[in-house]
Amino acid sequence: MSAHSSSPPLWDLIGRLAALFTSLDSERGMTPEQQWTLQVLKLTEEVGESAQAVVGAWGTNPRKGHSHTWRHVQEEVADTAITSLVTLHRMLGDEAPAFLADVLARKSAKFLPRGSRAEET
């Protein structure tokens, strides 16, 4: 039994984070569209941090050298994924999981041979 088996399901945690951030932004008087805009900007920040970690892992910045490991890159990519899911949930609420599953099925159909796509498993 893994250490994560008793953890709340992914979308439960994502929903709780989304609700917290929405509540905090609503208390600041922000409209939903303003909140979504800032959440997308937060997503771009996370992507930038992932890129910065890659540069650090390769050591291509002469001023910083090897400032990151590939583990740092993995953590930044995970942050990006979490932020993406929180963004979807903030925009779509409980419809987010089904929406993501539908988009994943459509996008994967372009790349995976028939019979191996998510909707057929």
Side-chain angles (χ1 to χ4, degrees), residues 11 24 58 95 102:
W11 281 106
L24 293 172
W58 277 102
E95 295 175 29
D102 179 60

Side-chain angles (χ1 to χ4, degrees), residues 96-119:
F99 179 84
L100 180 61
D102 179 60
V103 172
L104 177 60
R106 285 187 286 115
K107 299 286 183 173
S108 65
K110 297 176 184 178
F111 298 97
L112 297 176
R114 188 148 181 77
S116 65
R117 296 192 296 257
E119 74 272 12

Side-chain angles (χ1 to χ4, degrees), residues 18-54:
L20 172 64
F21 300 145
T22 296
S23 173
L24 293 172
D25 286 347
S26 293
E27 289 173 11
R28 294 182 187 105
M30 297 172 68
T31 67
E33 290 82 7
Q34 289 171 325
Q35 294 179 38
W36 301 343
T37 300
L38 292 175
Q39 187 68 37
V40 171
L41 292 176
K42 176 65 176 166
L43 176 57
T44 63
E45 176 190 14
E46 294 299 339
V47 171
E49 290 174 5
S50 297
Q52 182 180 15
V54 168

Side-chain angles (χ1 to χ4, degrees), residues 8-21:
L10 173 78
W11 281 106
D12 179 53
L13 285 173
I14 295 299
R16 290 168 52 198
L17 288 170
L20 172 64
F21 300 145

